[in-house]
Amino acid sequence: MLFLSFGVWWEIDPVIDLISLPSPLVFYQELTTMGFPSIYAEPKGKELNLVCIINCMNELLVLQHKNLRAQEEVEIQHLKLGSDMDHLQNCYAKLKEQLELSKREIVGLQERDRQLQSKNRNLHQLLKNEKDEVQKLQNIISSRATQYNHDMKRKEREYNKLRERLHQLVMNKKDKKLAMEVLNYVGRADGKRGAWRTDKTEARNEEEMYKVLLSDYEQRQKQLLLENAELKKVLQQMKKDIISLLPPQKQKPKERSEDGLVLSDQEEDIGELNKENMWELSCETVREQLTNSIRKQWRMLKNHVEKLDNQVSRGHSGAWNEKDVISREDHELETGKLELEIQQCKEMIKTQQQLLQQQLTCDDDTTLLLQDCYLLEERERLQEEWRLFREQKKNFEKERKSFTEAAIRLGLERKAFEEDRGAWLKHQFLSMTADCKPENTTASAFLRSSDPDIRLVKSASRQRRLPSVLSPAVSPEPFQISQYIAQNSVASEKPAADNMPNLWVEGDDKEETEECTKSWEDSGVGPLFRNLHMEQLP
Amino acid sequence: PWFLEVFKARILPQLSPVLSPQASCIQHRLVVRDASSLQILQLYTCLDQIQYIEWSSDSLFILCAMYKRGIVQVWSLEQPDWHCKIDEGSAGLVASCWSPDGRHILNTTEFHLRITVWSLCTKSVSYIKYPKACQQGMAFTKDGRYMAVAERRDCKDFISIFVCNNWQLLRHFDTETQDLFGIEWAPNGCVLAAWDTCLEYKVLLYSLDGRLLSSYRAYEWPLGVKGIAWSPSSQFLAIGSFDEKVRILNHVTWKKITEFDHPATISSKKTIVYKEVEKSPTVDTERLTFPPTRALASSLFSTQSKYDISQVPVSLQYIKPVADRANPKVGVGMLAFSADNCFLATKNDNIPNAVWIWDIRKLKLSVVLEQLCTIQAFQWDPCQPRLAVCTGSSRVYLWSPAGCVVVQVPGEGDFQITSISWHCSGDSMLLLSKENFCVCYLEREEVK
């Protein structure tokens, strides 16, 4: 058995142990150079490490596999590249061929183009030649024609001479009995006698002729006038139609700066030309104006129609103008709404009609019944309303009562508060004037100090006496305050007090007073007083 | 609802009925018949073979012209004994006609040396010198007041206008034509159209007092005007020319308002094309007898035909004209307006089997009648828009806006209709062949 190792063929006896192969040293050297660990059990030893060897072998196998795979890959890539290369070469060859073909084609086309151009030039030349020839022939024809005419004239003159000669001969020769034999002369067709040839007759002839011509012209003119009138009418109608068809933008000439002048002119023109008398004139300028104005209007109408067409086509093609879209949607909405409205109205009308019908057509019993029904309905409605009214009234009463109670309470509180205040002021004064002034002055001072109050109160009460006490709608505050002030001057003012006896119930809650005071203070008495003061001065 | 009654007689030349009686002549005999019954009323004998006969405008006299002898004989219907003979002598006679008042006879002498005006009322004779030898050299206005005569002196054309009342010369003016070919008055009597020879396309319009109103020229070199027609209202003048077109001028500006082309292919969808097709006669074999009766024999051999509507586009039979002959058969040679001004019938000589009917209100081609043979003549009914066409066969073709119909002239033998003449009431028409004539009566439709 041959065994190849390291490029050398070894003849091996398969029985022989591998180890007896020439020196594992060779393997060891190779392996170490390849980076494998030593296969010997210990360095420089003779014992071979089997595990190591097997590991080495394994690694070698792995390496081998790797190398094989790498080789395969390389081979595949090589093949691929080879085929790519082939492909590219084919493409290149084809493209080269195509290029060649195209070049040849171009050359062919250029050649053809050149030929056609030369042909064209030839044809042009031929055409020119033909034209020249035609011109020449025409000249020849005209010259021949003049020649023929000249010859004809000559021949004719000769012929005339012959005729004259013949005539002379004939007339001379004959027997003068150029006869007309007639049994008897017939009368003229119109029964008149023949007239002599005179100047008068000549003049009359002329006259007659001119009369005939004139009558013919007059007739024609009449026809033309009629035609003209008709056409003018038609034009007028057309004008009106065009004006009605044109959009109302035309009515605002100021908005359009460019067309402003033109439009205003046109409007003027229209105004002018719509006058009846202008239509009757037939002079040049009026006619021109008329036709011009109609043309302008027609053009405007045309433009308008074109614009509409464009809009429609744009809409169809999808290039939407925002304004148009919305307006259309709006328009549709509007139309929907209007339709609904119309339907509702129609239904209403129908029902009303039916009711009317019933009213009109039904007989007495049913009418009475119906009327009773209506009355019942109405009565029930009225009762309902009464009920509601009474309820509301009750509510109002309740509210009023609560308000009045609240007012009374408030008044009481205020009264208590004032008493406290008065007491406190008294106390203050007393303490203050304990050193300097006697008691009378305090009272007078008190009185004096409360003078403006009293004065105010007097007038206020006087004023407040007049308006009715019970008015729940009026805000309770000034009312209460005036009451309180009135109450404040119980000592001096009786009528004021008299005014309020009903309201003032007992009860003097401290808390309420405090609250009241607070509320009174918070509500800002000053301005209230000021208000009162103001009210005094009308 | 046509009603056709045929009466045939062997006669020689043409004849012209005016109003009720009808005259025809045979050789040198003049036969006058009643138009409705064709009964012979009078019989006159002339001196020579009659070439031309004409009724006077009031139908009281007939003139018979014998050109070879240069004699004109006049007969009266009221007084059969009355006679008149006019002898031109060696001056010769080429044409003779009545004046519009029915009392003067205008004779054109040979070589157009002069026109002699003979009066039947007085002994006076008038001469018109240098009349022009052209197709339509003399024209009377419709009301018979004026007569225009084309003259030529010193190689120049002139027109003279005479008052027919007293034969006084009213106007004499020259025309700007090379070689005046014809003149025609407009029906209103105020405009005279004059056109030049076919070498020059020129149409001149003159007013009654001799002023040139307008001159129209469509093109310069090719052959020009072949014929013209005035519309009965004098509104339009139709000019047919050698370039196969008809140009219509209007009476206000005398400018062309439209031109009608006559192409060989009709492609417009709005045109109706009626084509005449032959239909073989149905013979009832059981009814055949021996020897065959005349009627049966003729009906066997005469071909019936009817109209079919062809689908557009239609291409008509087109004949290319011979290039080097004079007066080629090209162009619009026949044109006529209907009496109500609404239609114009034309014939293009290159397309000889077709009649083109144009609607003047719309200025469009409305109908084309395609016949089997060449159109010989057509004429409009003087009262209604009805056109009668003859093609040289024994059938007359009638077209009206309601439709068209083929009318077979019954009878034995060949009757080749070459011309048609309507009665002025529109109730009957005269069909003429070379040697025979027959009268066709048309039943009037009852208007409910």
Side-chain angles (χ1 to χ4, degrees), chain B residues 277-350:
Chain B
V277 286
E278 272 190 16
K279 59 178 187 196
S280 47
T282 51
V283 178
D284 208 351
T285 44
E286 285 175 19
R287 294 256 194 88
L288 284 175
T289 58
F290 190 81
T293 57
R294 235 163 159 209
L296 193 59
S298 64
S299 71
L300 272 176
F301 289 112
S302 66
T303 49
Q304 299 275 328
S305 71
K306 63 180 174 83
Y307 275 117
D308 256 351
I309 296 185
S310 314
Q311 285 294 327
V312 169
V314 173
S315 71
L316 303 162
Q317 196 188 10
Y318 178 88
I319 293 180
K320 202 153 185 256
V322 183
D324 51 354
R325 285 267 196 88
N327 293 326
K329 285 212 183 301
V330 193
V332 180
M334 271 195 239
L335 51 165
F337 275 95
S338 69
D340 61 351
N341 249 332
C342 294
F343 297 102
L344 172 68
T346 61
K347 177 192 160 201
N348 185 4
D349 293 332
N350 314 33

Side-chain angles (χ1 to χ4, degrees), chain A residues 156 163 181 197 205-206, chain B residues 85 111 152 168 171:
Chain A
E156 206 184 314
R163 264 199 333 178
E181 249 177 58
R197 206 182 281 200
N205 285 340
E206 292 274 315
Chain B
K85 183 180 89 167
F111 302 118
R152 191 165 176 99
Q168 277 187 335
R171 285 286 188 275

Side-chain angles (χ1 to χ4, degrees), chain A residues 45-271:
Chain A
K46 287 270 176 167
E47 287 288 321
L48 291 166
N49 191 352
L50 261 175
V51 173
C52 255
I53 290 172
I54 290 170
N55 284 340
C56 291
M57 264 175 59
N58 190 25
E59 278 173 18
L60 279 170
L61 281 169
V62 165
L63 197 61
Q64 169 75 348
H65 281 310
K66 237 189 345 189
N67 287 337
L68 277 174
R69 254 181 280 140
Q71 195 185 4
E72 264 181 47
E73 276 175 19
V74 167
E75 275 175 6
I76 288 169
Q77 222 181 24
H78 182 256
L79 280 171
K80 268 196 210 163
L81 286 170
S83 71
D84 279 345
M85 179 84 131
D86 285 335
H87 176 69
L88 283 170
Q89 275 181 350
N90 284 341
C91 285
Y92 173 70
K94 270 191 233 158
L95 285 170
K96 245 173 94 167
E97 268 179 47
Q98 271 182 6
L99 184 65
E100 281 297 309
L101 271 171
S102 324
K103 275 195 191 148
R104 259 180 265 144
E105 252 186 65
I106 284 173
V107 167
L109 286 171
Q110 274 178 348
E111 182 62 36
R112 230 180 68 186
D113 181 48
R114 202 174 49 78
Q115 280 176 2
L116 284 172
Q117 272 195 357
S118 73
K119 214 165 113 179
N120 192 19
R121 255 179 279 129
N122 286 348
L123 285 172
H124 271 297
Q125 192 62 37
L126 276 172
L127 179 67
K128 221 176 74 151
N129 293 347
E130 290 295 320
K131 277 192 188 158
D132 290 337
E133 227 185 279
V134 161
Q135 193 60 40
K136 246 196 318 184
L137 282 171
Q138 276 190 340
N139 292 340
I140 290 173
I141 288 173
S142 60
S143 72
R144 281 180 88 99
T146 44
Q147 186 64 36
Y148 285 140
N149 285 339
H150 177 79
D151 280 343
M152 273 279 287
K153 284 212 175 92
R154 203 161 41 88
K155 292 225 161 70
E156 206 184 314
R157 278 193 207 105
E158 222 181 284
Y159 168 69
N160 281 340
K161 270 191 241 166
L162 276 170
R163 264 199 333 178
E164 289 287 342
R165 194 90 166 86
L166 176 66
H167 191 214
Q168 274 174 18
L169 288 171
V170 156
M171 296 313 281
N172 286 343
K173 191 180 92 168
K174 75 192 313 285
D175 38 3
K176 304 276 189 204
K177 209 172 66 81
L178 240 211
M180 179 165 120
E181 249 177 58
V182 63
L183 185 64
N184 55 302
Y185 286 105
V186 189
R188 283 167 63 97
D190 49 0
K192 290 192 212 151
R193 299 178 73 175
W196 291 105
R197 206 182 281 200
T198 55
D199 286 336
K200 224 166 88 172
T201 51
E202 271 186 36
R204 216 175 339 121
N205 285 340
E206 292 274 315
E207 214 186 285
E208 295 253 342
M209 176 190 79
Y210 283 125
K211 266 194 217 162
V212 165
L213 277 175
L214 273 173
S215 65
D216 180 63
Y217 280 132
E218 271 171 16
Q219 205 193 26
R220 253 202 269 162
Q221 203 201 10
K222 262 189 235 165
Q223 280 180 359
L224 285 171
L225 276 174
L226 280 170
E227 231 187 276
N228 249 7
E230 263 191 55
L231 286 171
K232 270 189 194 159
K233 252 193 264 173
V234 169
L235 270 178
Q236 214 177 3
Q237 274 178 7
M238 262 178 63
K239 229 176 146 183
K240 277 193 201 143
D241 285 340
I242 290 176
I243 292 173
S244 67
L245 277 174
L246 280 175
Q249 298 162 14
K250 194 182 164 301
Q251 306 291 338
K252 306 169 196 167
K254 286 179 191 166
E255 289 187 6
R256 297 170 178 232
S257 52
E258 333 94 57
D259 311 324
L261 278 171
V262 174
L263 284 171
S264 53
D265 282 345
Q266 282 181 348
E267 286 193 17
E268 273 176 38
D269 285 347
I270 294 159

